[in-house]
Amino acid sequence: MQKYIIEREIPKVGTFEREQLRDASKASNAVLAELGPDIQWVESFVADDKTFCVYLAKDEAIIQRHAKMSGFPATKITEVKRLFDPTTAYARA
């Protein structure tokens, strides 16, 4: 499976209350259960009018299916090619 970042434009999502986020999570999880093991939601970051979601998926098409079925737009889908963090500075080649 590949790692993807999904940018979702959702007006005022940054003002959503805990209950609204809980309901969105439940709706997303229900669709993920229908789609099976080829897609997994890792985490999401909420900004003012967007969310940035990290998913593991077999391909972009299943992410688009999830977006359509759940009603949560996938404004931009980007495949992650490599990861690095502060410890990369100390890694040996």
PDB file of all heavy atoms in Angstrom, residues 16-50:
ATOM      1  N   PHE A  16     -15.608  23.295  13.712  1.00  0.00           N
ATOM      2  CA  PHE A  16     -16.459  22.160  14.074  1.00  0.00           C
ATOM      3  C   PHE A  16     -16.237  21.774  15.531  1.00  0.00           C
ATOM      4  O   PHE A  16     -15.102  21.736  16.022  1.00  0.00           O
ATOM      5  CB  PHE A  16     -16.166  20.940  13.200  1.00  0.00           C
ATOM      6  CG  PHE A  16     -16.739  21.007  11.806  1.00  0.00           C
ATOM      7  CD1 PHE A  16     -17.216  22.179  11.261  1.00  0.00           C
ATOM      8  CD2 PHE A  16     -16.783  19.873  11.022  1.00  0.00           C
ATOM      9  CE1 PHE A  16     -17.735  22.240   9.977  1.00  0.00           C
ATOM     10  CE2 PHE A  16     -17.299  19.909   9.738  1.00  0.00           C
ATOM     11  CZ  PHE A  16     -17.779  21.082   9.214  1.00  0.00           C
ATOM     12  N   GLU A  17     -17.314  21.462  16.195  1.00  0.00           N
ATOM     13  CA  GLU A  17     -17.258  20.981  17.575  1.00  0.00           C
ATOM     14  C   GLU A  17     -16.867  19.511  17.585  1.00  0.00           C
ATOM     15  O   GLU A  17     -16.928  18.825  16.562  1.00  0.00           O
ATOM     16  CB  GLU A  17     -18.633  21.161  18.242  1.00  0.00           C
ATOM     17  CG  GLU A  17     -19.080  22.607  18.348  1.00  0.00           C
ATOM     18  CD  GLU A  17     -18.224  23.430  19.298  1.00  0.00           C
ATOM     19  OE1 GLU A  17     -17.671  22.856  20.264  1.00  0.00           O
ATOM     20  OE2 GLU A  17     -18.093  24.644  19.061  1.00  0.00           O
ATOM     21  N   ARG A  18     -16.499  19.025  18.740  1.00  0.00           N
ATOM     22  CA  ARG A  18     -16.075  17.627  18.904  1.00  0.00           C
ATOM     23  C   ARG A  18     -17.126  16.651  18.369  1.00  0.00           C
ATOM     24  O   ARG A  18     -16.800  15.672  17.703  1.00  0.00           O
ATOM     25  CB  ARG A  18     -15.776  17.354  20.375  1.00  0.00           C
ATOM     26  CG  ARG A  18     -15.240  15.966  20.652  1.00  0.00           C
ATOM     27  CD  ARG A  18     -14.803  15.851  22.125  1.00  0.00           C
ATOM     28  NE  ARG A  18     -14.088  14.638  22.357  1.00  0.00           N
ATOM     29  CZ  ARG A  18     -12.795  14.447  22.100  1.00  0.00           C
ATOM     30  NH1 ARG A  18     -12.090  15.405  21.576  1.00  0.00           N
ATOM     31  NH2 ARG A  18     -12.209  13.295  22.357  1.00  0.00           N
ATOM     32  N   GLU A  19     -18.383  16.925  18.629  1.00  0.00           N
ATOM     33  CA  GLU A  19     -19.465  16.037  18.174  1.00  0.00           C
ATOM     34  C   GLU A  19     -19.533  15.987  16.646  1.00  0.00           C
ATOM     35  O   GLU A  19     -19.763  14.923  16.063  1.00  0.00           O
ATOM     36  CB  GLU A  19     -20.800  16.487  18.765  1.00  0.00           C
ATOM     37  CG  GLU A  19     -21.936  15.503  18.549  1.00  0.00           C
ATOM     38  CD  GLU A  19     -21.727  14.169  19.262  1.00  0.00           C
ATOM     39  OE1 GLU A  19     -21.085  14.129  20.326  1.00  0.00           O
ATOM     40  OE2 GLU A  19     -22.202  13.139  18.725  1.00  0.00           O
ATOM     41  N   GLN A  20     -19.339  17.119  15.999  1.00  0.00           N
ATOM     42  CA  GLN A  20     -19.348  17.148  14.526  1.00  0.00           C
ATOM     43  C   GLN A  20     -18.179  16.341  13.959  1.00  0.00           C
ATOM     44  O   GLN A  20     -18.350  15.610  12.981  1.00  0.00           O
ATOM     45  CB  GLN A  20     -19.275  18.587  14.023  1.00  0.00           C
ATOM     46  CG  GLN A  20     -20.525  19.400  14.275  1.00  0.00           C
ATOM     47  CD  GLN A  20     -20.306  20.857  13.950  1.00  0.00           C
ATOM     48  OE1 GLN A  20     -19.586  21.554  14.659  1.00  0.00           O
ATOM     49  NE2 GLN A  20     -20.915  21.313  12.869  1.00  0.00           N
ATOM     50  N   LEU A  21     -17.015  16.458  14.572  1.00  0.00           N
ATOM     51  CA  LEU A  21     -15.862  15.674  14.126  1.00  0.00           C
ATOM     52  C   LEU A  21     -16.070  14.187  14.400  1.00  0.00           C
ATOM     53  O   LEU A  21     -15.693  13.338  13.597  1.00  0.00           O
ATOM     54  CB  LEU A  21     -14.581  16.179  14.790  1.00  0.00           C
ATOM     55  CG  LEU A  21     -14.160  17.603  14.398  1.00  0.00           C
ATOM     56  CD1 LEU A  21     -12.977  18.058  15.239  1.00  0.00           C
ATOM     57  CD2 LEU A  21     -13.858  17.701  12.916  1.00  0.00           C
ATOM     58  N   ARG A  22     -16.699  13.876  15.519  1.00  0.00           N
ATOM     59  CA  ARG A  22     -17.012  12.482  15.850  1.00  0.00           C
ATOM     60  C   ARG A  22     -17.963  11.898  14.804  1.00  0.00           C
ATOM     61  O   ARG A  22     -17.759  10.783  14.333  1.00  0.00           O
ATOM     62  CB  ARG A  22     -17.626  12.386  17.241  1.00  0.00           C
ATOM     63  CG  ARG A  22     -17.904  10.940  17.671  1.00  0.00           C
ATOM     64  CD  ARG A  22     -18.499  10.840  19.062  1.00  0.00           C
ATOM     65  NE  ARG A  22     -17.561  11.357  20.041  1.00  0.00           N
ATOM     66  CZ  ARG A  22     -17.857  12.305  20.929  1.00  0.00           C
ATOM     67  NH1 ARG A  22     -19.054  12.832  20.988  1.00  0.00           N
ATOM     68  NH2 ARG A  22     -16.941  12.719  21.791  1.00  0.00           N
ATOM     69  N   ASP A  23     -18.983  12.641  14.419  1.00  0.00           N
ATOM     70  CA  ASP A  23     -19.938  12.174  13.407  1.00  0.00           C
ATOM     71  C   ASP A  23     -19.260  11.973  12.054  1.00  0.00           C
ATOM     72  O   ASP A  23     -19.522  10.995  11.353  1.00  0.00           O
ATOM     73  CB  ASP A  23     -21.106  13.146  13.274  1.00  0.00           C
ATOM     74  CG  ASP A  23     -22.022  13.151  14.491  1.00  0.00           C
ATOM     75  OD1 ASP A  23     -21.939  12.204  15.319  1.00  0.00           O
ATOM     76  OD2 ASP A  23     -22.826  14.091  14.616  1.00  0.00           O
ATOM     77  N   ALA A  24     -18.370  12.900  11.695  1.00  0.00           N
ATOM     78  CA  ALA A  24     -17.634  12.763  10.435  1.00  0.00           C
ATOM     79  C   ALA A  24     -16.751  11.523  10.465  1.00  0.00           C
ATOM     80  O   ALA A  24     -16.662  10.780   9.479  1.00  0.00           O
ATOM     81  CB  ALA A  24     -16.797  14.013  10.181  1.00  0.00           C
ATOM     82  N   SER A  25     -16.127  11.284  11.595  1.00  0.00           N
ATOM     83  CA  SER A  25     -15.282  10.104  11.756  1.00  0.00           C
ATOM     84  C   SER A  25     -16.090   8.818  11.622  1.00  0.00           C
ATOM     85  O   SER A  25     -15.675   7.869  10.943  1.00  0.00           O
ATOM     86  CB  SER A  25     -14.588  10.155  13.128  1.00  0.00           C
ATOM     87  OG  SER A  25     -13.793   9.030  13.316  1.00  0.00           O
ATOM     88  N   LYS A  26     -17.255   8.796  12.230  1.00  0.00           N
ATOM     89  CA  LYS A  26     -18.122   7.617  12.129  1.00  0.00           C
ATOM     90  C   LYS A  26     -18.547   7.366  10.689  1.00  0.00           C
ATOM     91  O   LYS A  26     -18.554   6.229  10.221  1.00  0.00           O
ATOM     92  CB  LYS A  26     -19.362   7.789  13.015  1.00  0.00           C
ATOM     93  CG  LYS A  26     -19.080   7.667  14.491  1.00  0.00           C
ATOM     94  CD  LYS A  26     -20.348   7.908  15.304  1.00  0.00           C
ATOM     95  CE  LYS A  26     -20.070   7.878  16.779  1.00  0.00           C
ATOM     96  NZ  LYS A  26     -21.282   8.145  17.575  1.00  0.00           N
ATOM     97  N   ALA A  27     -18.901   8.435   9.970  1.00  0.00           N
ATOM     98  CA  ALA A  27     -19.316   8.292   8.569  1.00  0.00           C
ATOM     99  C   ALA A  27     -18.159   7.765   7.720  1.00  0.00           C
ATOM    100  O   ALA A  27     -18.337   6.866   6.886  1.00  0.00           O
ATOM    101  CB  ALA A  27     -19.811   9.629   8.027  1.00  0.00           C
ATOM    102  N   SER A  28     -16.980   8.306   7.929  1.00  0.00           N
ATOM    103  CA  SER A  28     -15.806   7.856   7.186  1.00  0.00           C
ATOM    104  C   SER A  28     -15.496   6.394   7.497  1.00  0.00           C
ATOM    105  O   SER A  28     -15.236   5.595   6.589  1.00  0.00           O
ATOM    106  CB  SER A  28     -14.600   8.731   7.528  1.00  0.00           C
ATOM    107  OG  SER A  28     -13.465   8.289   6.821  1.00  0.00           O
ATOM    108  N   ASN A  29     -15.527   6.035   8.763  1.00  0.00           N
ATOM    109  CA  ASN A  29     -15.236   4.656   9.165  1.00  0.00           C
ATOM    110  C   ASN A  29     -16.229   3.661   8.570  1.00  0.00           C
ATOM    111  O   ASN A  29     -15.849   2.540   8.207  1.00  0.00           O
ATOM    112  CB  ASN A  29     -15.231   4.526  10.690  1.00  0.00           C
ATOM    113  CG  ASN A  29     -14.007   5.147  11.312  1.00  0.00           C
ATOM    114  OD1 ASN A  29     -12.981   5.341  10.658  1.00  0.00           O
ATOM    115  ND2 ASN A  29     -14.109   5.486  12.585  1.00  0.00           N
ATOM    116  N   ALA A  30     -17.481   4.049   8.454  1.00  0.00           N
ATOM    117  CA  ALA A  30     -18.490   3.159   7.866  1.00  0.00           C
ATOM    118  C   ALA A  30     -18.162   2.863   6.407  1.00  0.00           C
ATOM    119  O   ALA A  30     -18.257   1.719   5.946  1.00  0.00           O
ATOM    120  CB  ALA A  30     -19.886   3.781   7.989  1.00  0.00           C
ATOM    121  N   VAL A  31     -17.742   3.888   5.677  1.00  0.00           N
ATOM    122  CA  VAL A  31     -17.377   3.690   4.272  1.00  0.00           C
ATOM    123  C   VAL A  31     -16.092   2.864   4.177  1.00  0.00           C
ATOM    124  O   VAL A  31     -15.979   1.966   3.337  1.00  0.00           O
ATOM    125  CB  VAL A  31     -17.228   5.040   3.539  1.00  0.00           C
ATOM    126  CG1 VAL A  31     -16.689   4.842   2.132  1.00  0.00           C
ATOM    127  CG2 VAL A  31     -18.572   5.760   3.500  1.00  0.00           C
ATOM    128  N   LEU A  32     -15.138   3.132   5.039  1.00  0.00           N
ATOM    129  CA  LEU A  32     -13.899   2.350   5.035  1.00  0.00           C
ATOM    130  C   LEU A  32     -14.188   0.870   5.267  1.00  0.00           C
ATOM    131  O   LEU A  32     -13.592   0.001   4.618  1.00  0.00           O
ATOM    132  CB  LEU A  32     -12.938   2.865   6.103  1.00  0.00           C
ATOM    133  CG  LEU A  32     -12.319   4.240   5.826  1.00  0.00           C
ATOM    134  CD1 LEU A  32     -11.615   4.762   7.064  1.00  0.00           C
ATOM    135  CD2 LEU A  32     -11.371   4.178   4.646  1.00  0.00           C
ATOM    136  N   ALA A  33     -15.118   0.577   6.157  1.00  0.00           N
ATOM    137  CA  ALA A  33     -15.494  -0.815   6.423  1.00  0.00           C
ATOM    138  C   ALA A  33     -16.088  -1.461   5.168  1.00  0.00           C
ATOM    139  O   ALA A  33     -15.828  -2.641   4.887  1.00  0.00           O
ATOM    140  CB  ALA A  33     -16.470  -0.891   7.585  1.00  0.00           C
ATOM    141  N   GLU A  34     -16.861  -0.713   4.412  1.00  0.00           N
ATOM    142  CA  GLU A  34     -17.441  -1.230   3.157  1.00  0.00           C
ATOM    143  C   GLU A  34     -16.366  -1.492   2.111  1.00  0.00           C
ATOM    144  O   GLU A  34     -16.450  -2.459   1.358  1.00  0.00           O
ATOM    145  CB  GLU A  34     -18.435  -0.219   2.565  1.00  0.00           C
ATOM    146  CG  GLU A  34     -19.805  -0.239   3.174  1.00  0.00           C
ATOM    147  CD  GLU A  34     -20.755   0.652   2.385  1.00  0.00           C
ATOM    148  OE1 GLU A  34     -20.954   0.382   1.184  1.00  0.00           O
ATOM    149  OE2 GLU A  34     -21.280   1.611   2.984  1.00  0.00           O
ATOM    150  N   LEU A  35     -15.371  -0.616   2.057  1.00  0.00           N
ATOM    151  CA  LEU A  35     -14.340  -0.723   1.027  1.00  0.00           C
ATOM    152  C   LEU A  35     -13.326  -1.832   1.311  1.00  0.00           C
ATOM    153  O   LEU A  35     -12.650  -2.286   0.402  1.00  0.00           O
ATOM    154  CB  LEU A  35     -13.624   0.624   0.848  1.00  0.00           C
ATOM    155  CG  LEU A  35     -14.483   1.738   0.264  1.00  0.00           C
ATOM    156  CD1 LEU A  35     -13.712   3.054   0.269  1.00  0.00           C
ATOM    157  CD2 LEU A  35     -14.938   1.388  -1.147  1.00  0.00           C
ATOM    158  N   GLY A  36     -13.190  -2.222   2.560  1.00  0.00           N
ATOM    159  CA  GLY A  36     -12.312  -3.340   2.887  1.00  0.00           C
ATOM    160  C   GLY A  36     -10.873  -2.944   3.170  1.00  0.00           C
ATOM    161  O   GLY A  36     -10.564  -1.786   3.425  1.00  0.00           O
ATOM    162  N   PRO A  37      -9.971  -3.921   3.098  1.00  0.00           N
ATOM    163  CA  PRO A  37      -8.597  -3.730   3.569  1.00  0.00           C
ATOM    164  C   PRO A  37      -7.676  -2.932   2.638  1.00  0.00           C
ATOM    165  O   PRO A  37      -6.518  -2.717   2.981  1.00  0.00           O
ATOM    166  CB  PRO A  37      -8.083  -5.167   3.714  1.00  0.00           C
ATOM    167  CG  PRO A  37      -8.825  -5.918   2.657  1.00  0.00           C
ATOM    168  CD  PRO A  37     -10.217  -5.291   2.650  1.00  0.00           C
ATOM    169  N   ASP A  38      -8.154  -2.493   1.496  1.00  0.00           N
ATOM    170  CA  ASP A  38      -7.290  -1.786   0.551  1.00  0.00           C
ATOM    171  C   ASP A  38      -7.154  -0.300   0.829  1.00  0.00           C
ATOM    172  O   ASP A  38      -6.519   0.424   0.059  1.00  0.00           O
ATOM    173  CB  ASP A  38      -7.799  -1.986  -0.889  1.00  0.00           C
ATOM    174  CG  ASP A  38      -7.618  -3.417  -1.355  1.00  0.00           C
ATOM    175  OD1 ASP A  38      -6.686  -4.101  -0.853  1.00  0.00           O
ATOM    176  OD2 ASP A  38      -8.395  -3.861  -2.203  1.00  0.00           O
ATOM    177  N   ILE A  39      -7.753   0.161   1.932  1.00  0.00           N
ATOM    178  CA  ILE A  39      -7.652   1.577   2.303  1.00  0.00           C
ATOM    179  C   ILE A  39      -7.728   1.693   3.825  1.00  0.00           C
ATOM    180  O   ILE A  39      -8.500   0.987   4.473  1.00  0.00           O
ATOM    181  CB  ILE A  39      -8.760   2.422   1.619  1.00  0.00           C
ATOM    182  CG1 ILE A  39      -8.601   3.906   1.945  1.00  0.00           C
ATOM    183  CG2 ILE A  39     -10.143   1.899   1.957  1.00  0.00           C
ATOM    184  CD1 ILE A  39      -9.477   4.835   1.115  1.00  0.00           C
ATOM    185  N   GLN A  40      -6.885   2.568   4.363  1.00  0.00           N
ATOM    186  CA  GLN A  40      -6.844   2.775   5.809  1.00  0.00           C
ATOM    187  C   GLN A  40      -6.609   4.247   6.100  1.00  0.00           C
ATOM    188  O   GLN A  40      -5.704   4.872   5.541  1.00  0.00           O
ATOM    189  CB  GLN A  40      -5.699   1.954   6.425  1.00  0.00           C
ATOM    190  CG  GLN A  40      -5.536   2.150   7.901  1.00  0.00           C
ATOM    191  CD  GLN A  40      -4.295   1.440   8.437  1.00  0.00           C
ATOM    192  OE1 GLN A  40      -3.687   0.616   7.762  1.00  0.00           O
ATOM    193  NE2 GLN A  40      -3.911   1.766   9.643  1.00  0.00           N
ATOM    194  N   TRP A  41      -7.413   4.815   6.963  1.00  0.00           N
ATOM    195  CA  TRP A  41      -7.255   6.198   7.408  1.00  0.00           C
ATOM    196  C   TRP A  41      -6.276   6.192   8.572  1.00  0.00           C
ATOM    197  O   TRP A  41      -6.479   5.481   9.558  1.00  0.00           O
ATOM    198  CB  TRP A  41      -8.615   6.732   7.822  1.00  0.00           C
ATOM    199  CG  TRP A  41      -8.657   8.105   8.416  1.00  0.00           C
ATOM    200  CD1 TRP A  41      -7.770   9.127   8.243  1.00  0.00           C
ATOM    201  CD2 TRP A  41      -9.679   8.604   9.274  1.00  0.00           C
ATOM    202  NE1 TRP A  41      -8.175  10.235   8.935  1.00  0.00           N
ATOM    203  CE2 TRP A  41      -9.353   9.939   9.585  1.00  0.00           C
ATOM    204  CE3 TRP A  41     -10.830   8.061   9.814  1.00  0.00           C
ATOM    205  CZ2 TRP A  41     -10.132  10.735  10.406  1.00  0.00           C
ATOM    206  CZ3 TRP A  41     -11.620   8.856  10.632  1.00  0.00           C
ATOM    207  CH2 TRP A  41     -11.267  10.182  10.922  1.00  0.00           C
ATOM    208  N   VAL A  42      -5.222   6.997   8.490  1.00  0.00           N
ATOM    209  CA  VAL A  42      -4.200   7.051   9.533  1.00  0.00           C
ATOM    210  C   VAL A  42      -4.482   8.185  10.512  1.00  0.00           C
ATOM    211  O   VAL A  42      -4.564   7.978  11.718  1.00  0.00           O
ATOM    212  CB  VAL A  42      -2.785   7.187   8.921  1.00  0.00           C
ATOM    213  CG1 VAL A  42      -1.730   7.320  10.013  1.00  0.00           C
ATOM    214  CG2 VAL A  42      -2.495   6.004   7.997  1.00  0.00           C
ATOM    215  N   GLU A  43      -4.644   9.414   9.975  1.00  0.00           N
ATOM    216  CA  GLU A  43      -4.913  10.581  10.815  1.00  0.00           C
ATOM    217  C   GLU A  43      -5.295  11.755   9.939  1.00  0.00           C
ATOM    218  O   GLU A  43      -5.087  11.721   8.727  1.00  0.00           O
ATOM    219  CB  GLU A  43      -3.707  10.953  11.676  1.00  0.00           C
ATOM    220  CG  GLU A  43      -2.477  11.345  10.877  1.00  0.00           C
ATOM    221  CD  GLU A  43      -1.248  11.547  11.752  1.00  0.00           C
ATOM    222  OE1 GLU A  43      -1.394  11.739  12.975  1.00  0.00           O
ATOM    223  OE2 GLU A  43      -0.134  11.512  11.203  1.00  0.00           O
ATOM    224  N   SER A  44      -5.843  12.777  10.575  1.00  0.00           N
ATOM    225  CA  SER A  44      -6.214  14.002   9.857  1.00  0.00           C
ATOM    226  C   SER A  44      -5.821  15.219  10.678  1.00  0.00           C
ATOM    227  O   SER A  44      -5.856  15.189  11.909  1.00  0.00           O
ATOM    228  CB  SER A  44      -7.717  14.046   9.581  1.00  0.00           C
ATOM    229  OG  SER A  44      -8.087  13.041   8.675  1.00  0.00           O
ATOM    230  N   PHE A  45      -5.493  16.286   9.961  1.00  0.00           N
ATOM    231  CA  PHE A  45      -5.158  17.566  10.564  1.00  0.00           C
ATOM    232  C   PHE A  45      -6.211  18.568  10.095  1.00  0.00           C
ATOM    233  O   PHE A  45      -6.509  18.650   8.905  1.00  0.00           O
ATOM    234  CB  PHE A  45      -3.765  18.023  10.118  1.00  0.00           C
ATOM    235  CG  PHE A  45      -2.699  17.026  10.480  1.00  0.00           C
ATOM    236  CD1 PHE A  45      -2.343  16.025   9.584  1.00  0.00           C
ATOM    237  CD2 PHE A  45      -2.068  17.071  11.709  1.00  0.00           C
ATOM    238  CE1 PHE A  45      -1.367  15.097   9.901  1.00  0.00           C
ATOM    239  CE2 PHE A  45      -1.099  16.140  12.048  1.00  0.00           C
ATOM    240  CZ  PHE A  45      -0.739  15.155  11.141  1.00  0.00           C
ATOM    241  N   VAL A  46      -6.764  19.325  11.039  1.00  0.00           N
ATOM    242  CA  VAL A  46      -7.836  20.268  10.726  1.00  0.00           C
ATOM    243  C   VAL A  46      -7.277  21.687  10.725  1.00  0.00           C
ATOM    244  O   VAL A  46      -6.624  22.112  11.677  1.00  0.00           O
ATOM    245  CB  VAL A  46      -8.985  20.157  11.765  1.00  0.00           C
ATOM    246  CG1 VAL A  46     -10.083  21.150  11.450  1.00  0.00           C
ATOM    247  CG2 VAL A  46      -9.530  18.737  11.808  1.00  0.00           C
ATOM    248  N   ALA A  47      -7.542  22.409   9.635  1.00  0.00           N
ATOM    249  CA  ALA A  47      -7.182  23.828   9.512  1.00  0.00           C
ATOM    250  C   ALA A  47      -8.487  24.620   9.428  1.00  0.00           C
ATOM    251  O   ALA A  47      -9.562  24.072   9.699  1.00  0.00           O
ATOM    252  CB  ALA A  47      -6.318  24.037   8.270  1.00  0.00           C
ATOM    253  N   ASP A  48      -8.410  25.882   9.069  1.00  0.00           N
ATOM    254  CA  ASP A  48      -9.614  26.708   9.025  1.00  0.00           C
ATOM    255  C   ASP A  48     -10.692  26.146   8.094  1.00  0.00           C
ATOM    256  O   ASP A  48     -11.808  25.860   8.526  1.00  0.00           O
ATOM    257  CB  ASP A  48      -9.278  28.142   8.599  1.00  0.00           C
ATOM    258  CG  ASP A  48      -8.573  28.918   9.703  1.00  0.00           C
ATOM    259  OD1 ASP A  48      -8.743  28.566  10.881  1.00  0.00           O
ATOM    260  OD2 ASP A  48      -7.849  29.866   9.361  1.00  0.00           O
ATOM    261  N   ASP A  49     -10.354  26.012   6.817  1.00  0.00           N
ATOM    262  CA  ASP A  49     -11.325  25.561   5.821  1.00  0.00           C
ATOM    263  C   ASP A  49     -10.883  24.307   5.085  1.00  0.00           C
ATOM    264  O   ASP A  49     -11.346  24.023   3.976  1.00  0.00           O
ATOM    265  CB  ASP A  49     -11.578  26.676   4.789  1.00  0.00           C
ATOM    266  CG  ASP A  49     -12.282  27.875   5.413  1.00  0.00           C
ATOM    267  OD1 ASP A  49     -13.204  27.661   6.222  1.00  0.00           O
ATOM    268  OD2 ASP A  49     -11.912  29.013   5.085  1.00  0.00           O
ATOM    269  N   LYS A  50      -9.965  23.556   5.687  1.00  0.00           N
ATOM    270  CA  LYS A  50      -9.438  22.353   5.042  1.00  0.00           C
ATOM    271  C   LYS A  50      -9.084  21.306   6.083  1.00  0.00           C
ATOM    272  O   LYS A  50      -8.821  21.630   7.237  1.00  0.00           O
ATOM    273  CB  LYS A  50      -8.157  22.653   4.265  1.00  0.00           C
ATOM    274  CG  LYS A  50      -8.332  23.563   3.086  1.00  0.00           C
ATOM    275  CD  LYS A  50      -7.011  23.759   2.379  1.00  0.00           C
ATOM    276  CE  LYS A  50      -7.187  24.703   1.205  1.00  0.00           C
ATOM    277  NZ  LYS A  50      -5.931  24.888   0.471  1.00  0.00           N
TER     278      LYS A  50
END
